[in-house]
Amino acid sequence: MDLPMSWLSDYTDISGVTPKEYSDKMTMSGSKVEGVENLGKDIDKVVVGKVLECEMHPDSDHLHVCMVDVGEGEPIQIVCGAPNVAVGQKVPVALNGAILPGGIKIKKGKLRGVMSNGMICSHDELGIEPSRLGYEPEYGILVLDENAEIGSDVKDLFGLNENVVEFEITSNRPDCFSIIGLARETAATFKKSFNVPTPKVTEAGGDINDMLSVEILDKDKCKRYCARAVKNVKIGPSPKWMRERLEACGVRAINNIVDITNYVLLEYGQPMHAFDIRDIAGGKITVRRANDGEVIKTLDEQDRTLINDDLVIADNERAIAIAGVMGGFNSEIKDDTTTVVFESAMFDAASVRLTAQRVGLRTEASSRYEKGLDYHNTVPAIERACELVEMLGCGENVSGMIDVLGNVEEPVSIKFRPDKINSFLGTDIAEADMLETFERLGIECRDMMLYPPSWRPDLLAEADIAEEVARFYGYDLIPTTLMVGQTTCGILTPEQKLEREISNILTAQGLYEIYTYNFQSPAMLDKLNVAPNSPLRNQVKISNPLGEDTSVMRTTMAGSMLETLSRNYNYRTKSGKFFELGRVYIPNEKGQLPDEPRTLMIGMYNDVDFFDIKGVCEEMFSELHITDVEYERLTDNPVYHPGRSAVIKANGKTLGVIGEVHPSVLRNFEIGVKAYIGELDFTAVFNAANRDVKYTPLTKFPAVTRDSSIVCNIETPVAEIEKVMKKAGGKLLSKLELNDVYTGSQIPEGKKSVMYKAEFKAPDRSLTGEEADNLHTKIVKNLSNELGAELR
């Protein structure tokens, strides 16, 4: 937002404040200044001169030798090549040593033998746009107004001695996208008076309701719509002061009516539009949603195709403007326009932004609407436009105003607690000083409740109020203190400690930790052979995905791990062992945010088998003191090889699954070797981990061992055998070690021999051989009863 300092002085007095002082103090109060530019910085020593004599150059057929009065006593001689130079003209003269835009320096010298002490300039040489002049100058030198004072600085004549401050306005401060809003901030910062005169409109009779009617069909997208009419309009250039202010803000002057709407936009921050009433069919304006496929030609003469979500201003026949974005070419102000309708409306911020993005138009109006404007500002803005019409003498205001309200929000209220604000800021600011700040900002206080003004939509909570107090008290005045002790006592949660412990355990075993994306392609489940009716197919869909490959949130991490294994395998990495602690996303049946359980995913390929990944898990369980771990055969998971995968349980509760990846899944992921993965529920592992470890001294008594070769069905899992043996051995069975599994000619068909070494030990005495034999006999008997096994 560009702020000319002279325009600022209309509302508050900061005379005596230099641009640097102004910039520094405004930045410290929260209105960041990007820079200050003097519009005439590239022009120096260019003054108004009057041509007294003009004769042809003796050695040229197009050069003129002129005597020019520049207000310095004796006239100076200048050689000029412009065809339109003539006696009596007042012209811009660049004196000896003058600087022109582009770094051009003027020096006196001879032109074809005749001395020239300067240069008479054209508007191009001065860098002055025709819009600043209010007319298209003729070819050649710039002829100035005859009332221009001889010897005066040309920059003063064209308003180029203006300092313009450029502000970086954040999107939460739409009020500061206006001269008045910045003036209010300035007055509050410098503790100066602030005054915005109420516009005074002189009406010339008639009634706008006899000429026009307005209806809002979508009251959520149009909060308010105001209209006033001006008759007997005379289209022409705007006065010099208005053109200069518009140009200083980077807005090109067009004609008086259009310039008035742009002037109000800059001054009040309220976008406006002007319609030629002849182009409003039926004399009725309807604010409605566009029809799908409806086409409107905008003021830039481009056809825009609209959809039903777009809001338009329409007459009885067609759309005449895209609401909040740009007017239609079919209702623009023309040279012969005689009656104008001014529009000042408040449109929904999100609707304007989405429409502007979709049709590829971002205008001064849309950039303000999309930040959220004050619907109370529509009436003062349109009144100001009518006041300017009268000031410029370019029309007569028709009596009355149409004002239609849509659905508007109620203002917020915030509890005022001075002690809480001081505690929050670490300050000791008096309540009276806070109230003074609020008064300057237009924040009303009644019964210890604060009521932010309608132009401050960013003030929603007590912290926002505290920020207002801090920035006008002075951030630099708030004492620097150390943080309160409690804020430095951060500790890891038990879950975080377990995460680090698991990471250290797996890293120590040679696994690399990886991080993968939480979102993936819906086709990932197809590659995993997941059934069409599987709950895993119920995925959270992303509303605005980057692409099809990242359009859903994962319900299993198996695909992410297999993609990593595939990538490493196809990059010819000989082998790999990886793990990841991540999340999966399970939709909530109540329509709330999805559940996000943590998952520990392990993956490895080449030079490994089932017992390698099982060993990794067993080492982790051992370090986490998870006991009574069992492995049950897994046969119904399409990701895993049936018979070479297992469900892991501890104390009867499932921890997860591990096993060899199914061959068809390996082909889907283009992995040419066997791969093994494991997917463990982090919460289940956390609950099973024993964090209250108690140590007992080693027994002083010797152990007694017995070897057993058990013949059982070949399908009987070793885990089932161990389960029975441990139950029968009880507390005296201190260790059970599997030595061999044998099938061959000496073993009946369909059977296998399993050899165990059992160690028996008592903590308080030495076991006798008889006691060990009895325990061994009990174990063999239970194996026979429960599994049909017998001693070999």
Side-chain angles (χ1 to χ4, degrees):
M1 177 69 192
D2 291 336
L3 172 67
M5 298 292 284
S6 63
W7 202 344
L8 175 67
S9 63
D10 287 359
Y11 310 106
T12 188
D13 180 19
I14 56 167
S15 56
V17 178
T18 66
K20 185 178 187 311
E21 291 172 342
Y22 177 78
S23 301
D24 292 344
K25 201 157 186 179
M26 289 297 288
T27 298
M28 286 301 296
S29 69
S31 301
K32 183 183 177 184
V33 174
E34 286 289 290
V36 180
E37 179 185 14
N38 184 281
L39 297 180
K41 68 181 186 303
D42 295 331
I43 301 175
D44 188 36
K45 294 185 69 174
V46 180
V47 300
V48 176
K50 183 175 183 180
V51 180
L52 303 178
E53 298 178 14
C54 181
E55 298 179 354
M56 292 299 298
H57 192 289
D59 293 326
S60 172
D61 58 357
H62 70 280
L63 295 177
H64 299 83
V65 180
C66 304
M67 297 300 295
V68 184
D69 181 5
V70 293
E72 295 181 354
E74 293 294 325
I76 62 173
Q77 179 174 282
I78 296 177
V79 177
C80 177
N84 64 329
V85 64
V87 173
Q89 294 173 335
K90 288 188 176 178
V91 292
V93 178
L95 303 175
N96 180 42
I99 302 295
L100 297 181
I104 299 172
K105 189 170 183 179
I106 304 301
K107 297 181 180 179
K108 64 180 181 179
K110 291 184 178 181
L111 290 176
R112 296 197 179 184
V114 177
M115 178 61 67
S116 179
N117 296 293
M119 183 175 77
I120 302 176
C121 304
S122 67
H123 71 284
D124 282 333
E125 289 165 333
L126 294 174
I128 298 175
E129 295 292 332
S131 56
R132 183 178 286 273
L133 301 174
Y135 62 91
E136 188 67 38
E138 61 181 312
Y139 175 76
I141 61 170
L142 177 61
V143 180
L144 305 176
D145 187 274
E146 60 182 13
N147 295 320
E149 182 181 351
I150 296 173
S152 62
D153 194 330
V154 165
K155 291 189 290 185
D156 292 330
L157 189 65
F158 293 109
L160 296 177
N161 262 332
E162 174 74 81
N163 289 314
V164 177
V165 183
E166 181 186 357
F167 285 90
E168 179 187 328
I169 309 299
T170 54
S171 58
N172 67 323
R173 290 300 305 274
D175 58 305
C176 288
F177 282 93
S178 67
I179 305 298
I180 290 176
L182 290 173
R184 184 184 294 111
E185 287 289 304
T186 299
T189 300
F190 289 88
K191 298 184 178 181
K192 299 287 187 178
S193 61
F194 171 71
N195 179 47
V196 179
T198 302
K200 297 179 180 179
V201 180
T202 301
E203 298 178 335
D207 187 348
I208 188 174
N209 294 289
D210 296 334
M211 307 166 60
L212 185 71
S213 63
V214 174
E215 181 182 13
I216 300 177
L217 296 183
D218 192 330
K219 294 190 175 184
D220 289 325
K221 290 192 174 185
C222 181
K223 311 293 185 182
R224 192 173 194 175
Y225 194 98
C226 300
R228 291 206 66 145
V230 179
K231 61 183 181 180
N232 298 327
V233 171
K234 303 177 185 65
I235 303 297
S238 299
K240 177 175 174 290
W241 62 269
M242 179 174 283
R243 295 198 308 270
E244 289 177 354
R245 285 189 170 182
L246 292 175
E247 293 282 346
C249 292
V251 178
R252 182 173 60 89
I254 299 174
N255 61 53
N256 45 18
I257 296 298
V258 176
D259 291 350
I260 285 173
T261 61
N262 288 332
Y263 190 89
V264 173
L265 168 71
L266 295 170
E267 187 175 38
Y268 280 76
Q270 172 62 45
M272 290 188 61
H273 188 66
F275 299 103
D276 188 328
I277 199 169
R278 296 175 301 180
D279 297 320
I280 303 177
K284 181 178 180 180
I285 285 178
T286 303
V287 186
R288 61 168 172 83
R289 291 186 178 220
N291 300 316
D292 280 325
E294 186 171 2
V295 178
I296 179 175
K297 179 180 286 188
T298 46
L299 287 172
D300 59 356
E301 300 188 39
Q302 297 293 317
D303 288 334
R304 313 283 177 178
T305 302
L306 307 178
I307 62 174
N308 185 250
D309 281 340
D310 300 328
L311 193 69
V312 297
I313 313 300
D315 58 18
N316 285 345
E317 298 177 357
R318 78 281 195 220
I320 56 177
I322 303 176
V325 181
M326 184 177 281
F329 184 74
N330 54 22
S331 62
E332 70 170 346
I333 302 301
K334 297 169 277 292
D335 291 340
D336 62 345
T337 297
T338 57
T339 303
V340 165
V341 174
F342 280 132
E343 166 196 283
S344 178
M346 166 61 178
F347 302 113
D348 178 66
S351 173
V352 172
R353 178 169 177 79
L354 290 173
T355 296
Q357 284 184 322
R358 201 185 54 73
V359 301
L361 267 177
R362 196 164 192 273
T363 61
E364 287 288 337
S366 68
S367 66
R368 284 168 169 78
Y369 274 123
E370 66 189 26
K371 294 172 179 63
L373 298 181
D374 176 14
Y375 79 94
H376 291 287
N377 199 32
T378 56
V379 172
I382 202 168
E383 297 281 74
R384 175 60 167 161
C386 292
E387 182 183 48
L388 289 170
V389 166
E390 185 180 351
M391 290 175 59
L392 272 57
C394 58
E396 298 176 353
N397 296 310
V398 176
S399 298
M401 176 177 66
I402 297 175
D403 185 4
V404 184
L405 277 177
N407 297 328
V408 295
E409 298 174 356
E410 293 296 323
V412 301
S413 59
I414 304 170
K415 192 172 184 179
F416 177 38
R417 296 186 292 177
D419 293 341
K420 179 69 174 178
I421 292 175
N422 277 321
S423 174
F424 184 71
L425 297 176
T427 56
D428 187 21
I429 304 172
E431 179 181 332
D433 293 337
M434 295 184 189
L435 291 172
E436 182 185 351
T437 297
F438 298 152
E439 183 179 359
R440 293 201 304 269
L441 294 173
I443 303 173
E444 187 178 352
C445 181
R446 300 194 308 270
D447 301 325
M448 301 305 286
M449 293 296 293
L450 298 174
Y451 299 88
S454 57
W455 60 80
R456 290 298 303 274
D458 59 310
L459 301 183
L460 300 173
E462 198 168 10
D464 301 323
I465 295 297
E467 182 183 6
E468 297 302 293
V469 172
R471 68 191 187 96
F472 287 106
Y473 173 74
Y475 291 118
D476 54 329
L477 300 180
I478 297 177
T480 301
T481 59
L482 292 175
M483 291 186 293
V484 178
Q486 289 86 333
T487 63
T488 62
C489 296
I491 60 174
L492 297 176
T493 64
E495 291 83 357
Q496 290 171 327
K497 290 180 180 178
L498 184 66
E499 287 179 24
R500 293 194 176 187
E501 191 171 355
I502 289 175
S503 179
N504 290 336
I505 293 170
L506 297 179
T507 302
Q509 296 186 75
L511 278 74
Y512 290 91
E513 186 169 8
I514 63 172
Y515 294 91
T516 59
Y517 290 122
N518 294 328
F519 39 74
Q520 56 187 210
S521 169
M524 179 67 74
L525 297 180
D526 296 331
K527 295 175 70 175
L528 292 171
N529 291 344
V530 174
N533 59 348
S534 170
L536 295 178
R537 294 280 183 179
N538 185 18
Q539 296 176 297
V540 176
K541 295 179 175 59
I542 300 174
S543 300
N544 55 340
L546 297 175
E548 178 68 18
D549 290 343
T550 55
S551 61
V552 296
M553 305 300 291
R554 65 189 178 189
T555 52
T556 173
M557 291 178 60
S560 301
M561 178 58 73
L562 288 171
E563 278 192 334
T564 302
L565 298 182
S566 172
R567 187 178 304 109
N568 281 270
Y569 172 77
N570 287 288
Y571 285 170
R572 302 193 179 187
T573 304
K574 183 178 180 181
S575 61
K577 299 179 180 180
F578 310 99
F579 74 94
E580 179 181 9
L581 273 165
R583 293 186 184 275
V584 293
Y585 299 83
I586 310 301
N588 192 303
E589 293 180 358
K590 297 180 181 179
Q592 300 174 351
L593 292 175
D595 298 326
E596 302 179 18
R598 298 293 302 275
T599 299
L600 171 62
M601 195 74 206
I602 302 172
M604 51 184 67
Y605 72 93
N606 207 16
D607 296 333
V608 291
D609 57 20
F610 175 82
F611 297 103
D612 286 296
I613 193 168
K614 181 185 177 187
V616 168
C617 294
E618 288 180 334
E619 176 66 19
M620 178 177 66
F621 297 150
S622 174
E623 292 291 332
L624 299 178
H625 305 286
I626 298 176
T627 57
D628 298 325
V629 179
E630 301 175 1
Y631 297 84
E632 296 181 359
R633 180 175 296 175
L634 176 67
T635 59
D636 59 351
N637 192 318
V639 179
Y640 295 86
H641 191 300
R644 299 181 187 176
S645 54
V647 177
I648 306 176
K649 293 185 177 180
N651 298 313
K653 296 184 178 180
T654 301
L655 301 185
V657 297
I658 61 169
E660 181 180 324
V661 181
H662 196 285
S664 66
V665 175
L666 290 176
R667 288 193 295 271
N668 292 341
F669 283 89
E670 299 180 356
I671 302 175
V673 294
K674 290 183 179 181
Y676 298 83
I677 60 174
E679 196 167 6
L680 283 75
D681 184 336
F682 176 82
T683 302
V685 172
F686 175 81
N687 293 333
N690 184 6
R691 292 173 290 278
D692 186 20
V693 179
K694 295 180 180 179
Y695 295 91
T696 57
L698 296 173
T699 180
K700 298 180 292 183
F701 304 99
V704 180
T705 62
R706 293 289 185 272
D707 293 333
S708 304
S709 290
I710 309 297
V711 177
C712 62
N713 291 330
I714 197 168
E715 298 295 332
T716 302
V718 170
E720 286 294 321
I721 298 173
E722 292 183 357
K723 184 178 179 180
V724 173
M725 294 179 73
K726 288 178 180 178
K727 182 178 178 181
K731 294 182 179 180
L732 295 180
L733 179 60
S734 59
K735 187 177 180 181
L736 189 63
E737 183 177 326
L738 175 65
N739 287 336
D740 185 39
V741 177
Y742 172 72
T743 58
S745 59
Q746 300 179 27
I747 303 299
E749 187 176 351
K751 301 286 185 177
K752 65 181 176 181
S753 173
V754 183
M755 179 180 288
Y756 276 100
K757 180 179 181 180
E759 182 180 275
F760 302 98
K761 186 186 297 184
D764 56 349
R765 60 191 171 85
S766 295
L767 290 178
T768 65
E770 184 180 356
E771 288 177 304
D773 290 340
N774 292 337
L775 288 171
H776 182 256
T777 300
K778 182 181 179 181
I779 290 173
V780 172
K781 183 179 180 181
N782 283 11
L783 287 171
S784 176
N785 293 338
E786 296 185 27
L787 300 178
E790 57 185 27
L791 282 176
R792 181 179 172 185

